[in-house]
């Protein structure tokens, strides 16, 4: 695969921050510690990790908002360190919080951004109209942004980042604080951008978001990329499908585990609190059918039975030793 197939490449990026000054000098924290990344053009690439993992630092370095201390990076075919001005002309950036004016209308916001980008009055108005239609905001175009829902506000923020039709768009946790409906609206907008040819680098701590949007995911922890694969490829590292049974009585849990063991390729695991037994299987349909039939024959009462695929949370736990949600909350 040639270098032109990639919209973003980073090799060995390092960034350190001073934590505190001492009598003997300064103490430093490595936010990026040899970070590598390769994003294929025309795709959504997820950068997945908890708060403090280095996601935002990586985006800010690639978007020329801060200087990295080591390594090299190229965005939209331009060396970030050598020509940051040209990089800025080819990218868009939407941070964690909407950067639009709540007093102005949606249309006024986009026209203002157009003028800031030196489009001129007529072109700024035309571009605002194009983006309002593209992000399904025409009906709310002349309403104050203060009356917008969270999802509408974020869509307007995405529209503002697209004023110059960038080749690469950086989205830093774009759905933080949104309700499920608002998140769905933003996801639809991101898919539309990629369908139009834009490359999106999406940082998120929401495992579901990375799974639904990204064609490839880089897992970052403590400033380093610890895995890079498709969502399915990452899940396969944990194992294949699992048969899961929840019994009605605690006394039947061990028996259910023995039934699962007859068709599984791994030793069944049990949860005595949830009354759940599960194990990995090869032939998913045949295994589920056999387990269901045997449980019925042996008179074991079941509350639930089904097939379960590994989640990205399972992957993160396997790779890092901790769950993403727990560290993010901490």
């Amino acid at each position: 695969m040639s270098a032109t197939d990639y919209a973003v490449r980073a090799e060995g990026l390092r960034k350190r921050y001073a934590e505190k000054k001492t009598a003997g000098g300064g103490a430093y924290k490595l936010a990026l510690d040899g970070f590598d990344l390769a994003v294929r053009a025309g795709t959504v690439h997820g950068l997945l990790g908890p708060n403090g993992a280095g996601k935002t630092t990586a985006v800010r370095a690639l978007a020329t908002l801060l200087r990295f201390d080591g390594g090299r990076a190229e965005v939209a075919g331009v060396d970030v360190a050598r020509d940051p001005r040209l990089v800025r002309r080819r990218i868009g950036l939407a941070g964690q919080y909407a950067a639009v004016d709540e007093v102005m209308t949606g249309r006024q916001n986009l026209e203002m951004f157009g003028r800031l980008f030196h489009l001129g009055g007529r072109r700024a108005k035309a571009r605002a109209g194009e983006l309002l239609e593209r992000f399904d905001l025409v009906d709310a175009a002349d309403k104050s942004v203060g009356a917008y829902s969270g999802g509408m506000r974020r869509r307007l923020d995405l529209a503002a980042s697209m004023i110059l039709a960038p080749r690469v768009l950086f989205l830093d946790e774009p759905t933080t604080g949104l309700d499920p409906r608002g998140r769905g609206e933003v996801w639809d907008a991101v898919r539309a951008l990629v369908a139009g040819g834009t490359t999106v680098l999406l940082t998120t701590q929401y495992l579901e978001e990375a799974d639904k949007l990204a064609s490839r995911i880089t897992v970052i922890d403590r400033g380093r990329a610890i895995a890079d694969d498709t969502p399915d490829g990452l899940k396969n590292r944990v194992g294949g499908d699992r048969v899961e049974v929840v019994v009605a009585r605690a006394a039947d849990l061990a028996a259910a585990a023995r039934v699962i063991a007859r068709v599984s390729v791994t030793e069944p695991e049990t949860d005595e609190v949830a009354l759940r037994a599960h194990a990995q299987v090869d032939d998913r349909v045949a295994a589920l059918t056999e387990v269901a039939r045997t449980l019925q024959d042996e008179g074991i009462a079941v509350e639930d039975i089904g097939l379960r695929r590994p989640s990205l949370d399972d992957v993160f736990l396997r790779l890092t030793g901790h769950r993403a949600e727990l560290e993010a909350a901490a």
Side-chain angles (χ1 to χ4, degrees):
M1 190 175 293
S2 68
T4 57
D5 292 325
Y6 294 98
V8 179
R9 292 181 68 91
E11 298 174 355
L13 289 192
R14 296 175 64 85
K15 179 63 182 178
R16 67 179 186 174
Y17 292 106
E19 286 191 312
K20 60 182 180 180
K21 292 184 178 180
T22 63
Y28 295 92
K29 173 186 176 182
L30 277 174
L32 295 177
D33 187 13
F35 176 67
D36 298 321
L37 180 68
V39 179
R40 291 200 64 179
T43 66
V44 178
H45 192 109
L47 189 55
L48 176 65
N51 285 341
K55 303 188 304 296
T56 297
T57 301
V59 166
R60 288 176 62 83
L62 293 169
T64 76
L65 296 180
L66 60 82
R67 294 182 180 179
F68 42 88
D69 301 318
R72 67 178 303 274
E74 192 174 276
V75 175
V78 181
D79 188 286
V80 174
R82 292 179 181 175
D83 199 346
R85 289 188 177 182
L86 182 55
V87 171
R88 291 178 200 132
R89 295 193 192 107
R90 297 186 177 185
I91 66 172
L93 171 64
Q96 295 182 18
Y97 304 100
V100 290
D101 189 302
E102 295 191 359
V103 176
M104 300 169 66
T105 67
R107 189 186 307 277
Q108 288 170 339
N109 266 280
L110 294 182
E111 290 180 4
M112 176 188 69
F113 278 107
R115 288 175 177 273
L116 289 174
F117 282 111
H118 309 292
L119 292 185
R122 182 177 298 177
R123 180 63 186 132
K125 286 184 178 181
R127 185 60 177 155
E130 294 168 4
L131 291 169
L132 288 167
E133 185 172 353
R134 182 172 187 177
F135 286 88
D136 194 23
L137 290 168
V138 174
D139 291 342
D142 298 311
K143 296 179 181 178
S144 169
V145 174
Y148 282 21
S149 67
M152 292 169 63
R153 199 170 306 184
R154 289 302 282 159
R155 284 181 4 237
L156 182 65
D157 197 42
L158 286 177
S161 70
M162 295 293 293
I163 289 289
L164 294 183
R167 291 165 57 179
V168 179
L169 178 61
F170 295 102
L171 297 182
D172 189 13
E173 302 194 22
T175 60
T176 297
L178 294 185
D179 59 22
R181 179 178 178 180
R183 291 173 68 191
E185 291 175 352
V186 173
W187 292 350
D188 289 341
V190 171
R191 294 187 184 103
L193 290 176
V194 176
T198 300
T199 302
V200 175
L201 178 61
L202 169 78
T203 75
T204 182
Q205 57 181 297
Y206 294 123
L207 298 155
E208 178 191 12
E209 185 161 80
D211 201 8
K212 286 186 178 294
L213 289 178
S215 57
R216 196 168 187 89
I217 296 171
T218 297
V219 182
I220 182 172
D221 195 39
R222 297 177 176 87
R224 292 185 177 183
I226 58 174
D228 185 287
D229 209 335
T230 64
D232 284 343
L234 288 174
K235 293 174 187 177
N236 288 337
R237 298 189 184 197
V238 179
D241 296 308
R242 306 177 78 84
V243 166
E244 183 176 273
V245 173
V246 179
V247 297
R249 299 182 297 267
D252 289 332
L253 184 59
R258 288 195 296 272
V259 171
I260 294 174
R262 299 175 191 176
V263 298
S264 66
V265 295
T266 60
E267 189 70 21
E269 300 177 26
T270 59
D271 183 336
E272 296 182 359
V273 176
L275 301 183
R276 179 185 296 111
H278 59 92
Q280 184 181 338
V281 297
D282 279 337
D283 192 336
R284 57 202 302 267
V285 176
L288 180 62
T289 302
E290 175 65 18
V291 168
R293 183 187 61 78
T294 306
L295 290 172
Q296 185 175 32
D297 290 345
E298 296 188 9
I300 298 174
V302 173
E303 290 288 339
D304 189 27
I305 183 172
L307 288 166
R308 176 177 175 269
R309 290 216 66 197
S311 68
L312 287 180
D313 193 34
D314 297 328
V315 174
F316 202 89
L317 177 63
R318 175 68 63 86
L319 292 172
T320 68
H322 55 76
R323 292 192 178 276
E325 298 100 323
L326 294 180
E327 183 157 325

